[in-house]
Amino acid sequence: MESPLPEVPLFKVFSFLDVFDLLRAGQVNKYWNKVADSDHLWRDLCLKKWRFYNFSCEHLGPQTWKQFLLNQIRHERQMELAQPEDFIYKKATGNLGILGPIAYLSGSGPCMNGREKSVICTVSSKRMLYAWDVWEGTLIWSSPVQPSSIKLLVTLPQVHLAFTVDLEGTVKVWNCQDEDALASLTMPQACFSLEAFLTKDGPFLMVGNSEGDIYTLTVPELRSVSKVNAFNYSVDFLHCSPDKKWIFACGTHQNVLPKVLFVECLLRPSEGESPLSVSLPFSSCCRACWAPRRANRITVMFRRASFRKTGFSTFDLTLDRTGGRTVIEAHQIASFLLPVHMESPIWMGVSDGNMIVFESGPYLFLFTINGLQLQQFDDHELTICNLWVDSLHVLTTSMDNYLHMYMWEEEGRYPYLKSCFHMEHIRNDYTPSCFFPKGICDNTSVVCVVSRSRDTSILVMYSLNV
């Protein structure tokens, strides 16, 4: 009788398996099952799938890592196979005003304690911030009427906070439970961009203004940590990398080159020293996305030839220390221009860092970062006016009164992006929308804002009936 492979080398072999191969290995015999059930193996698989998520045993509760991962995969599979009739439909109407920015206040990442209630925030033209329970379809909180219209909204689901900026440049922090804001700060210039993120040192908020300045503020106090001048023009985009190491800053002005700054320099500024940064050699940048599973890779979308051509360029960022100096290097690894006949996209997203998804008219395209077309989807009859992309989902919203859900294949496997389901904005209502509809989603819900009149919007909430 052959002696079994010792536990340590067998564990090492199993560490190279994916979820489904590890499950199969556990069915060979009792000895293999014991090794394959190791919490260390399943925790490593969780960290690989959600590389930049801050897992802890305290948040895990009574589940094992294996139970947790398999539950998450089951929820993802349910969304992938769902049909419109599998969703609970709720519609909020009334005098809501025109709803502008919208964001999830609940986490869109893995839920550690079973099903998490989906909560969203919306900004209204009535100068109010709303919070909604998506499952119930009910308004659960609203702010007092603000002195000025709210123009920007971001959320930090990990700490259940929302951040707004109004036309007067007043930044506010809300917990969407108390009537008043937790903190308020009026900036000296108009604000054009917001980014909130959570680090090991706590949550922070970055604000970009009309003068090209980037302010870093503590949360929730809104105490100033640093101020740097990035450009001579407005900072229109701020995007933090998944590992919170880099911050991308850009303006839409044709003379502005995008910059990537080292976040540590903004959180711990040194007096008299400029923060580490590097400029990317592409002006007229209109979008940018960090790869969700590759911390140092960013893809930017830019315009050329008086905005008649659109291109994409992908960079890998490194921090190099040579000769006692530390510098950021941006290595361009791919770049291409779209064909002239293709309608210029407005929106874009990325998957694993090697594929780019974008809309063009009524079509959705998937390209490699080198410009090879992989897929074209023809699920809409009219122009796609909004695109929502995260590490799992791609959601399109069109002027044809429909939205369509796609999901990324695991680890970039063929067919890369899978078409899932097609749903009406509002059931049995085909009245044209006065404004561009927009949709967002998480692991169990889809939310869409539609305006059938110029005075008020309708908030449509679909929850997966699991």
Side-chain angles (χ1 to χ4, degrees), residues 16-277:
F16 294 99
L17 302 182
D18 62 18
V19 172
F20 301 104
D21 287 338
L22 189 57
L23 287 172
R24 282 192 285 264
Q27 296 174 340
V28 172
N29 55 45
K30 290 182 179 181
Y31 174 56
W32 278 34
N33 180 265
K34 175 189 171 185
V35 178
D37 263 355
S38 166
D39 242 19
H40 291 289
L41 289 172
W42 290 96
R43 184 178 184 275
D44 287 346
L45 286 172
C46 287
L47 293 175
K48 181 181 178 182
K49 185 175 178 66
W50 299 286
R51 188 165 298 173
F52 305 111
Y53 195 87
N54 187 24
F55 287 113
S56 69
C57 293
E58 290 78 12
H59 292 135
L60 191 63
Q63 302 178 95
T64 64
W65 287 105
K66 178 180 179 180
Q67 291 169 337
F68 166 70
L69 180 55
L70 295 181
N71 281 334
Q72 296 299 318
I73 292 174
R74 179 172 58 86
H75 287 315
E76 293 170 12
R77 184 69 171 163
Q78 286 173 330
M79 179 67 95
E80 180 182 334
L81 299 177
Q83 295 300 309
E85 58 269 21
D86 298 325
F87 288 84
I88 297 172
Y89 171 79
K90 301 287 183 179
K91 182 173 69 172
T93 58
N95 190 19
L96 302 177
I98 297 298
L99 300 179
I102 179 172
Y104 275 95
L105 189 63
S106 56
S108 59
C111 176
M112 302 298 288
N113 297 305
R115 179 184 174 121
E116 181 182 12
K117 179 188 292 186
S118 292
V119 177
I120 60 163
C121 286
T122 60
V123 168
S124 168
S125 62
K126 296 168 71 69
R127 307 199 310 271
M128 298 174 70
L129 179 66
Y130 298 137
W132 303 83
D133 182 324
V134 176
W135 179 263
E136 298 293 337
T138 56
L139 180 67
I140 58 176
W141 175 86
S142 62
S143 73
V145 176
Q146 299 300 292
S148 182
S149 297
I150 301 171
K151 69 173 186 177
L152 297 177
L153 166 71
V154 297
T155 58
L156 196 56
Q158 299 97 318
V159 291
H160 203 81
L161 292 176
F163 308 86
T164 59
V165 171
D166 63 23
L167 291 176
E168 300 297 325
T170 301
V171 182
K172 291 189 176 182
V173 185
W174 309 88
N175 62 10
C176 298
Q177 296 174 4
D178 300 329
E179 180 179 0
D180 294 324
L182 299 180
S184 177
L185 177 66
T186 299
M187 308 299 289
Q189 288 88 24
C191 301
F192 280 68
S193 53
L194 280 181
E195 177 72 323
F197 55 94
L198 183 65
T199 73
K200 64 181 186 303
D201 297 319
F204 292 90
L205 180 70
M206 288 189 179
V207 184
N209 71 10
S210 58
E211 302 298 315
D213 299 321
I214 302 173
Y215 289 84
T216 302
L217 308 171
T218 61
V219 172
E221 305 87 358
L222 296 182
R223 178 178 54 82
S224 179
V225 176
S226 66
K227 171 192 171 184
V228 299
N229 183 260
F231 317 110
N232 293 323
Y233 302 93
S234 60
V235 181
D236 299 301
F237 301 109
L238 285 173
H239 299 303
C240 194
S241 63
D243 64 349
K244 315 305 182 284
K245 183 176 180 179
W246 315 100
I247 187 79
F248 173 87
C250 186
T252 55
H253 195 279
Q254 62 182 0
N255 292 330
V256 171
L257 295 180
K259 280 188 177 181
V260 177
L261 299 96
F262 190 47
V263 170
E264 184 74 13
C265 293
L266 304 181
L267 300 184
R268 293 180 175 83
S270 299
E271 189 173 351
E273 292 187 16
S274 299
L276 293 176
S277 67

Side-chain angles (χ1 to χ4, degrees), residues 316-388:
D316 280 349
L317 283 300
T318 59
L319 200 63
D320 297 330
R321 294 178 173 86
T322 56
R325 294 180 62 248
T326 302
V327 295
I328 300 176
E329 297 286 350
H331 307 279
Q332 182 179 334
I333 62 169
S335 188
F336 69 95
L337 288 171
L338 293 178
V340 178
H341 67 269
M342 183 176 286
E343 185 176 335
S344 290
I346 305 297
W347 307 95
M348 66 164 288
V350 297
S351 60
D352 61 353
N354 294 315
M355 288 180 284
I356 305 168
V357 63
F358 59 89
E359 98 297 344
S360 178
Y363 308 112
L364 185 72
F365 290 95
L366 185 68
F367 274 62
T368 68
I369 59 175
N370 293 299
L372 174 66
Q373 182 179 326
L374 298 175
Q375 290 173 283
Q376 175 181 328
F377 297 93
D378 310 331
D379 296 299
H380 290 290
E381 296 180 0
L382 299 179
T383 299
I384 296 171
C385 51
N386 188 258
L387 184 67
W388 166 269

Side-chain angles (χ1 to χ4, degrees), residues 398-422:
S398 170
M399 294 300 291
D400 61 10
N401 288 318
Y402 282 91
L403 50 82
H404 198 93
M405 176 69 78
Y406 308 83
M407 292 188 70
W408 297 110
E409 290 288 354
E410 188 72 21
E411 297 183 356
R413 297 191 185 102
Y414 183 83
Y416 315 119
L417 191 62
K418 180 179 180 181
S419 176
C420 296
F421 55 83
H422 201 64

